[in-house]
Amino acid sequence: MTILPEQSLGMAAYRAPSLFQPHRARQAFRDAHEGKIPPLAGLYLGLSAVQIARFIAPLGFDMVWIDWEHSACNVETMTTMVHEIAFMSEGKTIPFVRVPSHDHAAIAYALDAGASIVVPQVNTVAQAKHVLSATKYGTKCGGTRSAAPYRLIQGITDTPIDKSKSVHENQNDQAAVMIQIESLEGLANLDSILTEVPEIDAVWLGAIDCRVSMGLRWESGVVPTEPQWLEIVAQFQNTMEKHDKPSGGFAMGPPEKMRAMGKGKALGIVAADTVALLSMVEELKKARQIFSLAS
């Protein structure tokens, strides 16, 4: 059997000529979705710290999700975390940033840092069009992204992958845009969103926010079984299949649970810094028992 470079090199096969540029994450999503490579195995970083990013960079995850939406993180810290992940992994890990809003500047900051992006709370076609506009260069593709004059150095870090295209056209093809559907409104509009904004690369069903918006409880580690929720999941999956679009989601836990949660996904978040830290509680319980005066 022939082993493709993408299979043997992992995400390093999708890196750009310069690590200051984003990976070819769009292609990685598509290849994983089509079964040419295994699903991307990702790490969720809920804590914003440069030291954490530097430590996990060489561990071998395909992607790292920097949560700029729900962490106390300024632009400089986010940018440095992106660089630490890309450079300290030697291009073997793709940095993704969940931006805090649909704001044009926030999206540009993350993309200029060299990351691909996750955009939360996309509910309408108009919002999706705005997001894509902020991520793309050139009115030809509906883009309004500002071209930074010195983000990339001419002839040094702006080397294009496809030399028949400009560096800006190349970057349009490189960084991935994954949106999150986190409400019934977003789910109802998802078919229209993917029809009118086909450049969206992947979609993540935000179960926590969606369930909260429906008045349903969310409990970590508990698989929801309510009929209305199962209908929501089925509707999401049917829409994704209709548009042949990659999806992402959590895929954590024992092997059988990880396999079930990751089924059909191009991206599975298989670990999280916060979950790993919470495992220390069990060590504390064990220590309390060992050191108990009663023992």
Side-chain angles (χ1 to χ4, degrees):
M1 182 178 68
T2 302
I3 299 178
L4 300 175
E6 290 82 358
Q7 294 173 307
S8 60
L9 297 176
M11 295 304 104
Y14 296 91
R15 59 163 288 177
S18 165
L19 290 176
F20 285 95
Q21 297 181 34
H23 281 71
R24 293 187 298 117
R26 300 189 73 193
Q27 190 62 51
F29 264 140
R30 177 49 52 181
D31 286 353
H33 178 64
E34 295 177 355
K36 296 177 181 178
I37 60 171
L40 277 63
L43 169 68
Y44 168 83
L45 284 188
L47 305 176
S48 294
V50 173
Q51 292 85 350
I52 293 177
R54 183 177 302 152
F55 185 84
I56 59 89
L59 296 185
F61 288 94
D62 294 321
M63 65 85 72
V64 171
W65 171 310
I66 299 169
D67 197 348
W68 195 17
E69 183 189 18
H70 291 300
S71 62
C73 180
N74 60 28
V75 172
E76 290 83 1
T77 298
M78 178 276 296
T79 299
T80 304
M81 290 178 71
V82 169
H83 289 169
E84 291 286 345
I85 291 164
F87 283 86
M88 299 300 278
S89 73
E90 298 178 310
K92 297 173 185 176
T93 300
I94 303 176
F96 273 74
V97 174
R98 176 157 68 173
V99 294
S101 69
H102 301 175
D103 180 67
H104 186 282
I107 291 172
Y109 279 133
L111 292 170
D112 283 350
S116 288
I117 61 170
V118 182
V119 185
Q121 301 287 351
V122 176
N123 295 315
T124 67
V125 171
Q127 290 175 346
K129 287 183 176 180
H130 169 78
V131 166
L132 259 294
S133 171
T135 65
K136 302 297 183 183
Y137 293 111
T139 56
K140 185 184 296 185
C141 60
T144 58
R145 182 180 171 190
S146 176
Y150 303 113
R151 193 67 197 183
L152 296 176
I153 304 172
Q154 187 173 5
I156 298 177
T157 60
D158 71 344
T159 307
I161 295 173
D162 182 347
K163 295 183 179 180
S164 68
K165 297 180 180 180
S166 71
V167 64
H168 298 102
E169 290 173 321
N170 270 273
Q171 288 191 68
N172 282 347
D173 294 337
Q174 289 168 224
V177 179
M178 179 163 62
I179 64 168
Q180 289 189 284
I181 297 298
E182 303 183 86
S183 70
L184 291 179
E185 179 187 14
L187 184 66
N189 290 325
L190 181 58
D191 184 35
S192 297
I193 288 171
L194 296 180
T195 298
E196 297 196 37
V197 196
E199 296 87 357
I200 289 170
D201 298 296
V203 185
W204 177 294
L205 177 61
I208 301 176
D209 277 294
C210 195
R211 285 179 63 81
V212 170
S213 73
M214 295 170 64
L216 299 175
R217 292 184 61 183
W218 176 82
E219 297 179 73
S220 179
V222 177
V223 178
T225 57
E226 303 95 337
Q228 63 267 46
W229 178 250
L230 297 181
E231 289 178 9
I232 291 297
V233 174
Q235 181 181 346
F236 174 79
Q237 292 174 339
N238 290 338
T239 304
M240 296 298 287
E241 290 175 6
K242 174 184 176 180
H243 292 273
D244 191 27
K245 191 68 65 173
S247 65
F250 284 105
M252 299 170 65
E256 63 277 5
K257 185 177 180 181
M258 183 181 289
R259 188 176 297 110
M261 293 178 70
K263 184 178 180 181
K265 293 183 174 67
L267 163 67
I269 295 293
V270 300
D273 57 349
T274 47
V275 174
L277 289 170
L278 283 172
S279 68
M280 296 180 185
V281 175
E282 294 303 315
E283 295 300 312
L284 176 60
K285 289 180 180 178
K286 182 168 64 177
R288 298 289 191 208
Q289 292 173 350
I290 293 172
F291 299 150
S292 171
L293 293 176
S295 63

